[in-house]
Amino acid sequence: LQHYKVNSPMERQRFLERMVKELQHMKPYLEFIDGTQRRFFELWRATQYRYHICVHGPEQGESAQPPRFSQPPRFAHLHDETVIQCLTACVCVIEFFTVEANTNSLCHDISQKMDSSDRDMLLFRLLEIPSSVLSSAVLRCIAAVDFTEMSSDEVHHLIKMIQIAASRLPETTVLVEKLVDQMVKFGSDPAGSGASSSLRLEHGNEVVMTISEALLLNLTVSVTGAKLAAKAVLTNKCVAFLLAAGKVPELRKPIMLSAEYRSKLEQILKAEDESRPGEIDVPLELTWGARFIEALMPFFSSHARFRVRGKVAFRIVKRVADILAGRSYAADCEGPTNGFDS
């Protein structure tokens, strides 16, 4: 689709018009990816019948009683590779129209109709399916969506998906990393409307605490080999978001100065202090919630119990010295993050 007749705009336009007409303005595609719709149920039944034919043979399979399914499994328990491949293909077609909406009026109209049919929410729900290939396709499609079209409920659902995926670490490390990166993109939206506005004004506390919890869970999982690199990437993404959040007035006050966030901050630094030597640093003492002396003093108590000669204790002492010396928050955010600004 992306490369079809790119050198012949008129022929390409005629092809798009014919395809849109045959696809009934993409309505069936949205029904295929909606686990509550008849078309998705038919897709599931078709794959099961195909397996039935493969097991019994074409002749016996036609006459044998096919298996009965009251309903397909919930997305979180869907492992059928054929169904997942079909869903991935549907998402790729949806992505095509979403991307082309910026340059083609017909695709723009289709994208608008898909948006009014809850396209974004349906895509978010697909993230519940345990498939890295499908998740990558969904997130690539979401990245192409105009953030101003996203509702507050859709942003809330995406935050919930981070919570669900984080509970399944380390299997979902890459997915959580991409979801956190999406939150950074929302916050980076220069228009400051749509998803960006909802994130800052309506879901600030939830997203800060959700990403903090995801960071804590990531630190506590034990992985080896290649998974160590993925764990480090997720850690960096979470730290980058929390550092960047300190630049946004709606997020830093009172959210990052709350007792809830400071408690989570202590838990995360404690988990780093107890981690194996050589693991990546988690400099949360640089976040806005730890830029005040009164927030750091509890770390010197016996309750915190950081290792005296450990790197976390050293960084906290250094942080106190930087605060007393008048070091700016902007200087703290240089280097570790490419996050969003207010």
Side-chain angles (χ1 to χ4, degrees), residues 267-277 304-307 312:
Q267 294 177 50
I268 293 171
L269 291 176
K270 183 64 178 175
E272 182 194 4
D273 194 50
E274 296 172 351
S275 63
R276 295 179 302 177
R305 297 189 300 277
F306 291 112
R307 290 183 295 137
V312 175

Side-chain angles (χ1 to χ4, degrees), residues 29-198:
Y29 268 75
L30 295 181
E31 292 178 356
F32 275 124
I33 68 173
D34 186 348
T36 66
Q37 293 294 321
R38 176 179 57 85
R39 289 184 186 274
F40 175 77
F41 183 74
E42 291 174 348
L43 172 63
W44 167 258
R45 287 293 301 271
T47 59
Q48 300 312 298
Y49 189 73
R50 175 175 173 271
Y51 294 149
H52 180 71
I53 295 294
C54 292
V55 170
H56 295 279
E59 296 182 357
Q60 295 182 1
E62 291 288 347
S63 59
Q65 181 68 23
R68 294 183 178 180
F69 297 92
S70 58
Q71 61 181 6
R74 299 179 63 179
F75 277 176
H77 304 290
L78 179 59
H79 299 279
D80 188 292
E81 287 298 325
T82 303
V83 174
I84 291 175
Q85 289 176 8
C86 291
L87 293 175
T88 303
C90 289
V91 171
C92 290
V93 175
I94 294 171
E95 179 193 3
F96 168 78
F97 285 100
T98 304
V99 171
E100 293 293 316
N102 296 323
T103 57
N104 185 284
S105 59
L106 176 62
C107 293
H108 177 76
D109 293 340
I110 297 300
S111 180
Q112 291 287 333
K113 290 180 179 179
M114 289 193 295
D115 180 56
S116 63
S117 299
D118 293 330
R119 169 199 55 200
D120 302 338
M121 188 66 76
L122 293 175
L123 289 171
F124 292 153
R125 289 172 182 161
L126 289 180
L127 293 174
E128 298 176 17
I129 298 175
S131 167
S132 59
V133 174
L134 177 58
S135 297
S136 296
V138 169
L139 290 170
R140 190 173 61 247
C141 184
I142 292 173
V145 172
D146 184 355
F147 293 160
T148 61
E149 298 178 359
M150 298 187 67
S151 67
S152 175
D153 288 342
E154 290 167 343
V155 174
H156 173 72
H157 190 81
L158 195 57
I159 296 173
K160 287 295 183 185
M161 288 309 308
I162 297 178
Q163 297 172 3
I164 295 171
S167 68
R168 302 204 305 259
L169 289 170
E171 289 78 11
T172 55
T173 299
V174 175
L175 173 59
V176 177
E177 180 261 315
K178 291 180 179 179
L179 289 170
V180 172
D181 191 49
Q182 191 67 51
M183 291 295 104
V184 175
K185 291 178 181 178
F186 286 166
S188 303
D189 181 18
S193 58
S196 176
S197 177
S198 297

